[in-house]
Each structure stands twice: as structure tokens, then as C-alpha cells.
Amino acid sequence: MNFKKGEILYLNKPLGWTSFKVVGHVRYHVCRRMGVKKLKVGHAGTLDPLATGVMIVCTGKATKRVEELQRHTKEYVACIRLGATTPSYDLEHEIDATYPTEHITRELVEETLKNFVGEIWQKPPAFSACMVNGKRAYDLARKGEEVDLKPKLLVIDEIELLECNLPDIKIRVVCSKGTYIRALARDIGEALHSGAHLTGLTRTRVGDVRIEDCLNPLDFRDWIDRQEVENSDE
């Protein structure tokens, strides 16, 4: 393998890890194995710390392909709790409001999900990596500052209801780059005249890369120590 010339690695991000930590972990062990002090490493699509699943990491000259890889369609499996919201739309923050759920049925959920297929406008979460006047939105939101992000046009190719144990539902979503599943949970809750937040999220596919094709970062050291590594960048 030639990490300077460029390799594309597929990793299954563990729960609680930041995308930055995954990149740092890969960089550290690749540099150790190569006997170099630095190497360019980047990822093709952030995953929140509370999400797991497919992360594509590029090294060396392959980092030029990050933007191309980010455009690939993504698939997620999301666990959503209806009837309550949090400021971040997931479990990073405590519940800040509760709403009725007695009127919600499986049939109503299935009908409501159909309205999200196709082109939709979605307002990103305040707790997101979007840039606002040169600063990350989540940094401003964590300081208690008002963050007003403009809606973005996205494409949802598929939404499937996998489980319905009210007030909890599990859905499969196939969507375009830039979709926030936390914001989708928020919007589904509102469409059901209730509230909602994510309780779990796994990115199961990016393009043709599936989660079963991915390496656990905890096994990365052993894996790279078994590889034949070249140091030239020709």
C-alpha cells in the first residue's frame, strides 16, 4: 500500500468518537508504520460523535478525491423518539420540551414519511458544523448565541419504516450529501404535530461501500501492521 501516493480507507466509526479522532487515529498509525512524522489525511463526510457507521478516510494524494466522494448517496438507519425534543435534536442535550403522541399511529407515521421523499428544504441544526461568519454553528450555539441557518435543498431518495414501537420508530433513509438526519427527525416530529429527536444513528452505506466492508478503527493498528507499505510518492 502506498499512503503517500494515496489510499482510500473504509472505517466503521465507533460510538462516541468524533470524525476528527478517526482521522487522527489513522494518521498516527500510518505515520508510525511508515516511519514518517506527517502525512495528509482527510475524511469524506462528518459523522456526529453519537452516530456510528461508514466513514471514508483518504490519505496522501487521494485527499484530492474527498469532494467527489462526499457527493455519493448515503444510507442511514435512524432510531427516533417521538413526543420530545432536545436543542441538538439528539441525545447530546437533555429534553427541553414534551409533546402529545396519543394521536400518532403506525399508519399516520407511514403516510407522513411519504411527504419527505423527493426534493425537500431542510434547515440545518444550530448544533452543526455549518459555517456562520467564519465560525462553526455549534461553537456559537454552545455559547448560547442565536444561530439562524438558511434552509438547503436536499434529495431524499427513500424512507422506509423499519420498526414502530410508539413512541419509538426506526427508519431507513437514502439521501443526498448535506442531509442532517437529526433535522429530519425534528421535521418528522413537527409533521406529526408532535416533537422528535434521534436516539441512535448508523450510516450503513456511502455510494457502494457498506458497513460490512468497513474496518473497526480499534483493529486498525493490527491491520496496518500486516500490510506491505511503500514510502515513495511516485
Side-chain angles (χ1 to χ4, degrees):
M1 302 188 80
N2 192 321
F3 292 99
K4 283 185 181 176
K5 194 173 179 181
E7 298 289 348
I8 297 175
L9 306 170
Y10 308 121
L11 299 165
N12 181 359
K13 189 188 85 62
L15 184 68
W17 284 42
T18 62
S19 300
F20 182 78
K21 180 175 178 177
V22 174
V23 169
H25 185 76
V26 169
R27 183 189 292 112
Y28 173 80
H29 285 294
V30 171
C31 287
R32 177 189 58 80
R33 180 72 173 82
M34 292 173 63
V36 299
K37 287 189 176 180
K38 61 181 182 178
L39 178 72
K40 198 170 185 181
V41 182
H43 67 76
T46 302
L47 270 178
D48 291 333
L50 296 179
T52 61
V54 181
M55 262 196 75
I56 299 179
V57 175
C58 303
T59 75
K61 293 178 180 176
T63 54
K64 294 176 182 176
R65 295 189 58 194
V66 161
E67 199 171 321
E68 165 207 338
L69 294 167
Q70 283 179 332
R71 290 196 293 268
H72 288 179
T73 298
K74 298 173 178 67
E75 179 186 74
Y76 296 88
V77 170
C79 297
I80 299 171
R81 176 154 296 166
L82 304 174
T85 56
T86 74
S88 54
Y89 315 139
D90 64 6
L91 295 177
E92 184 183 338
H93 292 82
E94 297 291 322
I95 288 170
D96 60 358
T98 57
Y99 301 85
T101 58
E102 294 79 9
H103 63 288
I104 301 174
T105 62
R106 184 189 182 100
E107 291 71 29
L108 181 61
V109 172
E110 288 179 332
E111 284 302 310
T112 300
L113 292 179
K114 290 176 186 176
N115 297 327
F116 288 92
V117 178
E119 289 190 343
I120 65 165
W121 287 95
Q122 183 186 81
K123 189 174 182 179
F127 289 88
S128 67
C130 292
M131 299 300 289
V132 181
N133 298 324
K135 296 181 179 179
R136 296 290 184 187
Y138 56 68
D139 287 332
L140 298 172
R142 283 171 185 149
K143 290 176 183 174
E145 294 184 31
E146 195 71 29
V147 179
D148 188 25
L149 298 170
K150 293 179 180 177
K152 295 181 179 180
L153 186 62
L154 308 167
V155 178
I156 306 288
D157 295 310
E158 298 176 47
I159 295 187
E160 178 186 4
L161 181 62
L162 299 177
E163 293 178 18
C164 186
N165 300 303
L166 296 169
D168 295 303
I169 63 172
K170 181 186 282 189
I171 62 174
R172 182 182 67 86
V173 182
V174 179
C175 57
S176 65
K177 170 193 173 185
T179 305
Y180 282 93
I181 305 299
R182 288 183 286 134
L184 182 63
R186 169 202 65 199
D187 295 342
I188 289 169
E190 290 179 0
L192 288 166
H193 302 292
S194 184
H197 63 281
L198 277 186
T199 56
L201 180 66
T202 300
R203 186 153 68 196
T204 49
R205 180 170 62 83
V206 176
D208 294 327
V209 180
R210 298 188 172 275
I211 197 166
E212 49 267 32
D213 305 323
C214 295
L215 182 68
N216 186 332
L218 296 175
D219 300 328
F220 188 74
R221 176 177 183 150
D222 290 340
W223 176 82
I224 198 168
D225 284 348
R226 295 195 302 270
Q227 308 306 310
E228 287 188 17
V229 175
E230 297 177 41
N231 267 23
S232 71
D233 53 5
E234 297 300 318

